[in-house]
């Protein structure tokens, strides 16, 4: 017999906070205490506690939920998630699961299930990044080309100077991410980006 959420909490497979959140959602929405909606609420809460912003339902669809190693030696039969389409429909049919921008405690955005506040946090970050993606106005293109040539002398052996490309993009956008492994020149590139910006606006 599949273990109930309460049994999963008792055996250490489910954090108490996740159990009580699932019970809160089940009671508030009129769902059964071990329904798909309650299981999903417990899962997204537990994943949040482990550092994930949301649950990608595709990762769990048709598979056992929760961790069978979390019970300190107490074996239980873990509940299984439904197939993806049926799972999404069961969530969408519940009054406490809303679409993007809704007010309910759970948000279903495509195949991802969020706690409402984390969906809003992620949306705010995405909107802030997108708002900064436009090119900077008032740049001096000719001066920028000259400064790039001076700071990144041509290397005949290099097909593409990726540091130069990164610096050019970073200097012309309000938001940029420079990534790379150890020793790839991230710090050097950032220093040169700062030099480019100072040349554009010396005051």
């Amino acid at each position: 017999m599949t273990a109930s959420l309460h049994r999963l909490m008792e055996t250490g497979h489910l954090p108490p906070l996740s159990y009580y959140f699932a019970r809160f959602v089940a009671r508030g929405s009129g769902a059964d205490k071990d329904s798909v909606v309650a299981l999903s609420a417990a899962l997204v809460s537990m994943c949040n506690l482990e550092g994930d912003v949301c649950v990608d339902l595709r990762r769990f669809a048709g598979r056992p939920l929760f961790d069978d190693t979390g019970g300190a030696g107490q074996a239980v039969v873990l509940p299984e998630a439904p197939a993806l389409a049926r799972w999404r429909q069961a969530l969408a049919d519940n009054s406490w699961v809303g679409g993007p921008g809704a007010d309910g405690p759970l948000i279903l955005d495509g195949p991802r299930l969020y706690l409402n506040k984390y969906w809003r946090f992620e949306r705010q970050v995405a909107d802030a990044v997108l708002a900064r993606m436009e090119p900077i106005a008032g740049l001096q293109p000719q001066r920028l080309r000259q400064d790039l040539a001076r700071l990144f002398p041509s290397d005949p052996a290099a097909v593409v100077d990726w540091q130069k490309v990164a610096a050019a993009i970073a200097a012309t956008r309000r938001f940029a991410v420079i990534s790379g492994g150890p020793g790839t020149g991230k710090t050097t590139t950032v220093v040169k980006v700062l030099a480019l910006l100072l040349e554009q606006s010396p005051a």
Side-chain angles (χ1 to χ4, degrees), residues 12-190:
H13 291 81
L14 184 66
L17 178 62
S18 300
Y19 166 73
Y20 286 107
F21 177 70
R23 192 172 74 168
F24 165 73
V25 170
R27 284 181 175 177
S29 65
D32 183 83
K33 63 182 180 180
D34 292 312
S35 64
V36 170
V37 172
L39 288 168
S40 302
L43 179 64
V44 73
S45 172
M46 186 177 75
C47 288
N48 284 163
L49 292 174
E50 294 173 349
D52 291 323
V53 173
C54 66
V55 171
D56 189 331
L57 303 182
R58 294 169 296 189
R59 176 183 164 201
F60 294 94
R63 300 177 183 176
L65 296 171
F66 314 113
D67 186 353
D68 61 2
T69 64
Q74 300 188 57
V76 296
V77 179
L78 298 175
E80 287 193 2
L84 181 61
R86 190 159 58 88
W87 193 359
R88 290 185 60 193
Q89 190 60 54
L91 291 170
D93 289 342
N94 187 276
S95 61
W96 276 35
V97 181
D103 292 327
L106 296 172
I107 298 292
L108 183 62
D109 190 350
R112 295 179 175 85
L113 183 66
Y114 293 79
L115 294 181
N116 190 308
K117 69 175 182 178
Y118 287 108
W119 182 87
R120 293 186 184 281
F121 291 160
E122 188 175 89
R123 185 72 262 164
Q124 288 169 5
V125 171
D127 288 345
V129 170
L130 290 173
R132 291 165 170 79
M133 295 303 292
E134 294 299 319
I136 296 174
L139 287 175
Q140 304 174 53
Q142 183 59 35
R143 185 166 193 170
L144 182 61
R145 280 192 290 270
Q146 292 172 352
D147 291 337
L148 282 167
R150 176 174 53 81
L151 292 167
F152 297 92
S154 297
D155 180 358
V159 178
V160 178
D161 186 342
W162 290 111
Q163 287 182 318
K164 184 176 182 179
V165 171
I169 293 172
T172 57
R173 297 289 190 276
R174 294 173 59 206
F175 180 87
V177 176
I178 296 175
S179 64
T184 54
K186 297 184 297 297
T187 302
T188 300
T189 302
V190 169

